[in-house]
């Protein structure tokens, strides 16, 4: 588990170097990484190019299916509402995330997307993995921008 979060952190660091908000994601199936990505919203001029969305697209393409029901997703920051919706539609089995996001998170904060009665699929959720490191990466990124 920690090694997959380390890979997500590496993707986050690479995104930060590109000038993107440093968030990274890894999707795992049967113990193997099948997709990984960092944020690309600035690079791609695409507000939907969050790490989770890119990784889900790549995993779905690789598997030839829109359903990733036997896959686990590791991400460095609590997903936003858009990404939580994508996880539900993709039928992600388990979500592991690093830092909580009191402002923009939608899993354990904000709208608590998976707790909504209209949410059709709820992954198992495990938050707080590598929380300090993921949070420090984000704080350093934004501090350097101010």
């Amino acid at each position: 588990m920690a090694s997959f979060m380390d890979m997500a952190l590496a993707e986050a660091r690479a995104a930060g170097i590109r000038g993107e908000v440093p968030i990274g994601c890894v999707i795992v199936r049967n113990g193997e990484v099948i997709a990984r990505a960092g944020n690309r919203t600035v690079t791609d001029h695409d507000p939907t190019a969050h790490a989770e969305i890119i990784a889900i697209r790549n995993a779905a393409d690789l598997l030839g299916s829109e359903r990733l029901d036997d896959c686990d997703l590791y991400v460095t920051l609590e997903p936003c509402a858009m990404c939580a919706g994508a996880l539900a539609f993709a039928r992600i089995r388990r979500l592991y995330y690093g830092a909580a996001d009191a402002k923009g998170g939608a899993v354990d904060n904000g709208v608590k997307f998976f707790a909504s009665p209209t949410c059709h699929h709820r992954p198992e959720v495990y938050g707080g993995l590598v929380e300090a490191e993921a949070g420090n990466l984000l704080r350093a990124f934004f501090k350097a921008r101010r």
Side-chain angles (χ1 to χ4, degrees):
M1 192 166 30
S3 64
F4 297 132
M5 284 304 290
D6 289 339
M7 291 178 198
L9 282 166
E11 290 294 328
R13 284 187 206 96
I17 290 167
R18 291 192 307 273
E20 301 281 352
V21 175
I23 299 171
C25 179
V26 173
I27 297 179
V28 177
R29 180 178 187 223
N30 298 325
E32 292 187 36
V33 174
I34 61 166
R36 54 192 303 167
N39 270 9
R40 294 187 57 86
T41 59
V42 175
T43 304
D44 293 353
H45 308 289
D46 180 355
T48 70
H50 290 196
E52 301 97 315
I53 300 294
I54 296 166
I56 286 170
R57 287 176 181 158
N58 292 342
D61 188 49
L62 177 78
L63 298 178
S65 175
E66 75 282 5
R67 299 283 170 94
L68 305 177
D69 52 8
D70 56 351
C71 296
D72 301 332
L73 187 143
Y74 295 77
V75 65
T76 56
L77 184 67
E78 177 183 355
C80 69
M82 175 182 68
C83 292
L87 269 77
F89 281 112
R91 306 290 201 276
I92 292 291
R93 177 177 54 190
R94 291 183 200 101
L95 163 64
Y96 299 90
Y97 72 83
D101 186 356
K103 240 181 170 176
V107 175
D108 290 322
N109 289 286
V111 299
K112 298 180 181 172
F113 188 87
F114 300 129
S116 169
T118 59
C119 181
H120 62 282
H121 172 77
R122 294 165 183 82
E124 293 175 32
V125 176
Y126 304 92
L129 288 86
V130 302
E131 184 171 15
E133 190 170 355
N136 289 339
L137 187 61
L138 285 158
R139 279 187 289 282
F141 176 82
F142 287 113
K143 184 178 180 182
R145 302 270 174 296
R146 290 185 190 123

